[in-house]
Amino acid sequence: MTILCEPAHRAGQLSPALGGDVRAARTLDETSRLLASDPNETLVVVGSAIDLDRALAFTAALRIERPAVGVVLVRDALDIAVLTRALRAGVREVVARDDLAALVDACTRSRALSAQVTGVPQPRADERRQGQVLTVFAAKGGCGKTTLAVNLAAVLAAGGERSVCLVDLDLAFGDVGICLRAEPVRTIVHGLGMLGHVDVAGASSLLTACRPGLSALLAPVEPGDAERIPAALVGELLEVLPTMFDFVVVDTPSAFTEHVLAAMDASHHHVLLTTPDVPALKNLRVTLDMLDLLSYAHDIRSVVLNRSDAKVGLTMDDIERVVRSDIRAHVPSSRDVPISVNKGNPIVLDLPKHPVSEAITRFAREHVLAEPAVVAAKSKRWFR
């Protein structure tokens, strides 16, 4: 876990680089309270918006009170005078705000030094976190796929209790950023230069912090950028991101593209969405047959019926006869859902007791959190 001391409007630029386990503090006083509540904390990152004199006084006091806690100082620009004062105060490293890779490295070194001071060993590289990947898919547009993906990610994040990354793989028309009111400063297209060597630092630099515990990898915003992104980049990112987060939720377009298949291959869970109308049910049936043809395991699938209470002339028996698969969640209709989308706040956070929120929360609790992770496909596809 890391404490990031930075005002909320600036913290979003640094949080992704620090990984999923970050606790935010707007002031040094808040930082002190967080440290007091957690005797095992060993790293504080002080952002560039914090006054330098106060940051150095805080560090000097901390060096005496908690010598195992390292402070990494972030500044908008580096100069010798700042470096000299920082080192005298006990700051372990000073990094430039725009050098996220240097920040990741500085934090790693600080944690290693703290481990030597405390005697607590650092985990080996082969003991890294291995989070679950969930791909949300619907072969017909308009089923509410992005809404489900966003709310499922918000539920899993649980206000910061778990770390979650939401990946917008609808590269041409992605709406995850809009649904979360996240500014797309960096998107997946900025990862093109990393193709073939994506690592944690590189992946972190592409992320946007959205909520406590929830970050997003956003879709491109410029026309034509979607065509520039190879499926191989998606595959690499979905290998690295699970080492950084407890859960990676992938929102997809309504088509079996190479990018979607790369996500399916990396997934521990396929969440297949439909609505109670004949075209959507037909497309779900085709989807299930396609997954069978591609030899994906049956036990990682979950069919979710959205707008399940719609009176459209189909009974539940009619639906189950077409689907020929267990329906694991029934999400009711509500005009509150588009209202929450327009507000940029997931309904599970805005109205946690709402029937829609309860249905999605129940699904996450019973079929994601309670079930062991299974790899979707043992063999990986090769994309060129």
Side-chain angles (χ1 to χ4, degrees):
M1 189 73 75
T2 301
I3 297 174
L4 171 60
C5 181
E6 184 84 321
H9 68 283
R10 289 173 63 90
Q13 301 171 29
L14 298 178
S15 292
L18 302 176
D21 296 329
V22 178
R23 288 181 291 177
R26 292 169 296 179
T27 65
L28 291 170
D29 288 338
E30 281 190 40
T31 302
S32 296
R33 287 194 290 271
L34 287 175
L35 283 170
S37 68
D38 187 359
N40 297 317
E41 181 58 76
T42 60
L43 179 60
V44 174
V45 176
V46 179
S48 58
I50 303 301
D51 177 75
L52 178 62
D53 290 336
R54 293 201 63 209
L56 298 184
F58 168 85
T59 305
L62 191 63
R63 182 169 59 173
I64 298 172
E65 298 168 3
R66 297 272 295 271
V69 178
V71 174
V72 174
L73 183 65
V74 179
R75 297 287 97 181
D76 290 327
L78 302 183
D79 62 66
I80 296 299
V82 170
L83 291 172
T84 302
R85 292 183 61 196
L87 294 176
R88 286 175 178 170
V91 172
R92 286 188 179 169
E93 299 202 34
V94 183
V95 298
R97 185 178 184 84
D98 59 358
D99 194 345
L100 296 181
L103 176 59
V104 172
D105 291 341
C107 291
T108 300
R109 288 190 291 268
S110 181
R111 289 193 188 97
L113 180 57
S114 293
Q116 293 178 7
V117 173
T118 61
V120 178
Q122 291 289 291
R124 300 192 311 270
D126 59 358
E127 293 176 335
R128 292 183 303 173
R129 180 204 316 270
Q130 188 56 50
Q132 294 188 43
V133 180
L134 294 82
T135 294
V136 181
F137 181 78
K140 179 180 177 295
C143 290
K145 173 175 47 58
T146 297
T147 300
L148 177 63
V150 168
N151 281 276
L152 182 58
V155 167
L156 292 173
E161 291 181 22
R162 291 176 286 271
S163 59
V164 179
C165 180
L166 178 57
V167 178
D168 193 345
L169 209 55
D170 192 346
L171 301 175
F173 301 103
D175 289 328
V176 164
I178 291 174
C179 290
L180 291 172
R181 288 199 174 179
E183 186 69 25
V185 176
R186 302 278 287 176
T187 72
I188 190 172
V189 77
H190 292 95
L192 287 173
M194 307 174 192
L195 183 60
H197 50 85
V198 176
D199 58 14
V200 170
S204 296
S205 71
L206 304 177
L207 302 179
T208 301
C210 301
R211 300 285 190 285
L214 176 59
S215 297
L217 177 57
L218 300 177
V221 294
E222 296 296 330
D225 277 351
E227 286 72 26
R228 299 172 56 200
I229 299 170
L233 177 60
V234 174
E236 287 187 57
L237 286 166
L238 292 180
E239 286 185 2
V240 173
L241 289 172
T243 69
M244 302 163 57
F245 295 91
D246 296 316
F247 292 95
V248 179
V249 179
V250 185
D251 184 30
T252 58
S254 300
F256 273 113
T257 65
E258 286 188 340
H259 305 80
V260 171
L261 290 174
M264 292 286 192
D265 281 352
S267 294
H268 303 84
H269 207 138
H270 297 158
V271 181
L272 308 175
L273 188 65
T274 189
T275 49
D277 57 86
V278 171
L281 292 169
K282 183 269 292 181
N283 284 6
L284 173 61
R285 184 66 259 160
V286 171
T287 296
L288 293 169
D289 292 342
M290 177 66 75
L291 295 179
D292 286 343
L293 185 64
L294 296 173
S295 301
Y296 288 111
H298 284 233
D299 56 359
I300 65 170
R301 299 177 194 169
S302 288
V303 175
V304 175
L305 181 63
N306 195 22
R307 304 173 197 135
S308 58
D309 56 351
K311 307 301 181 183
V312 291
L314 291 176
T315 66
M316 193 54 62
D317 288 340
D318 295 329
I319 294 171
E320 291 176 347
R321 186 163 53 251
V322 174
V323 174
R324 301 200 302 274
S325 181
D326 290 340
I327 297 174
R328 291 191 163 186
H330 295 75
V331 182
S333 305
S334 175
R335 67 175 186 173
D336 294 323
V337 173
I339 291 174
S340 73
V341 171
N342 291 338
K343 290 167 62 178
N345 198 30
I347 191 169
V348 295
L349 302 180
D350 206 23
L351 300 168
K353 297 300 183 181
H354 193 282
V356 171
S357 302
E358 291 181 339
I360 296 173
T361 301
R362 189 181 312 114
F363 169 74
R365 184 174 61 248
E366 296 178 357
H367 300 292
V368 178
L369 297 172
E371 295 188 357
V374 180
V375 177
K378 292 182 180 179
S379 60
K380 295 290 182 183
R381 301 172 204 281
W382 289 91
F383 298 102
R384 297 187 184 274

